[in-house]
Amino acid sequence: DSGVTQTPKHLITATGQRVTLRCSPRSGDLSVYWYQQSLDQGLQFLIQYYNGEERAKGNILERFSAQQFPDLHSELNLSSLELGDSALYFCASSLNRVSNEQYFGPGTRLTVT
Amino acid sequence: AQSVTQLGSHVSVSEGALVLLRCNYSSSVPPYLFWYVQYPNQGLQLLLKYTTGATLVKGINGFEAEFKKSETSFHLTKPSAHMSDAAEYFCAVSFSGNTPLVFGKGTRLSVIA
């Protein structure tokens, strides 16, 4: 158990819909990262938050957004969903700015039908 | 830009045999290097990391990896494979702390009895 929690574990929704994925980092970790894992693209970085502020952006679509709240949990919002958005979405957290160890949650499997 | 290449999308070894998973990276600055393991339907678990110091790093479950700057490599080894080692292994790189990881495409390890 990494200490990072993600809900829900599975999500099935239809095209055009909007969903919210939730992540609670390890206690004390200030950084939260979101990654997408798909068969064709592999593991891709989406966005990073550090202590409530957006820190870095990766290959995140404009239809996707995220935020980190004062209690440091984070939410990833996916809207106008397309079939190609079906993937595993992982959240990771880290504290150590020197070694950059990131600890991953169990993921949310999103299926868009 | 940083990139990670994992040679071989699938490696198969006999139980008790040497495990060797290859990882090469490109980075314009000294990298931080990581190996993660993903078991079916689970998140990523950190196996080991290299940041600075000793180039041979030991991780969990008997795995180790050696950072070779001249070869830009960080290959993962284990002297004797167990059935429980069957999983997907990912090599990752970052160029500093508190930054996103760039992942290779992964290598699926199968262990044959």
Side-chain angles (χ1 to χ4, degrees):
Chain A
D1 185 355
S2 67
V4 179
T5 61
Q6 289 186 250
T7 57
K9 193 171 177 64
H10 300 279
L11 202 47
I12 301 174
T13 189
T15 55
Q17 295 298 305
R18 173 189 168 94
V19 297
T20 297
L21 314 183
R22 183 188 169 103
C23 167
S24 293
R26 295 187 318 159
S27 177
D29 284 1
L30 300 179
S31 271
V32 169
Y33 304 80
W34 287 97
Y35 295 87
Q36 179 194 60
Q37 185 179 34
S38 62
L39 281 175
D40 53 344
Q41 298 291 329
L43 269 161
Q44 293 220 328
F45 165 68
L46 296 177
I47 196 164
Q48 176 196 1
Y49 277 81
Y50 178 77
N51 202 20
E53 299 290 325
E54 183 184 301
R55 170 115 181 169
K57 256 185 175 177
N59 298 321
I60 187 165
L61 300 171
E62 285 192 13
R63 300 183 284 108
F64 296 1
S65 65
Q67 54 184 324
Q68 186 178 28
F69 295 86
D71 67 352
L72 300 178
H73 91 270
S74 178
E75 293 181 356
L76 179 67
N77 300 297
L78 315 176
S79 62
S80 302
L81 285 168
E82 302 174 0
L83 295 178
D85 297 327
S86 296
L88 260 172
Y89 291 84
F90 287 109
C91 164
S93 73
S94 73
L95 169 65
N96 194 324
R97 280 173 281 179
V98 174
S99 69
N100 203 26
E101 295 169 36
Q102 295 184 20
Y103 294 88
F104 283 73
T108 293
R109 182 173 293 279
L110 173 66
T111 303
V112 182
T113 62
Chain B
Q2 297 172 311
S3 66
V4 177
T5 302
Q6 290 184 240
L7 189 62
S9 59
H10 184 208
V11 170
S12 187
V13 301
S14 297
E15 193 174 18
L18 171 72
V19 175
L20 171 60
L21 304 183
R22 299 178 188 274
C23 172
N24 288 88
Y25 66 91
S26 67
S27 175
S28 56
V29 296
Y32 293 9
L33 294 158
F34 306 85
W35 276 98
Y36 283 86
V37 60
Q38 184 180 28
Y39 298 100
N41 300 313
Q42 293 188 27
L44 282 78
Q45 181 182 7
L46 180 65
L47 269 180
L48 48 79
K49 67 180 188 291
Y50 169 80
T51 53
T52 59
T55 56
L56 181 64
V57 292
K58 295 185 184 300
I60 61 172
N61 302 338
F63 284 94
E64 61 183 37
E66 185 171 12
F67 169 57
K68 291 187 177 180
K69 186 177 178 181
S70 61
E71 299 177 8
T72 61
S73 69
F74 191 57
H75 301 330
L76 182 71
T77 60
K78 182 173 180 178
S80 176
H82 295 156
M83 298 296 290
S84 59
D85 294 327
E88 187 95 16
Y89 292 80
F90 293 92
C91 181
V93 63
S94 70
F95 64 87
S96 67
N98 208 22
T99 57
L101 298 176
V102 175
F103 285 90
K105 291 194 178 296
T107 298
R108 183 163 59 92
L109 175 66
S110 296
V111 181
I112 304 166

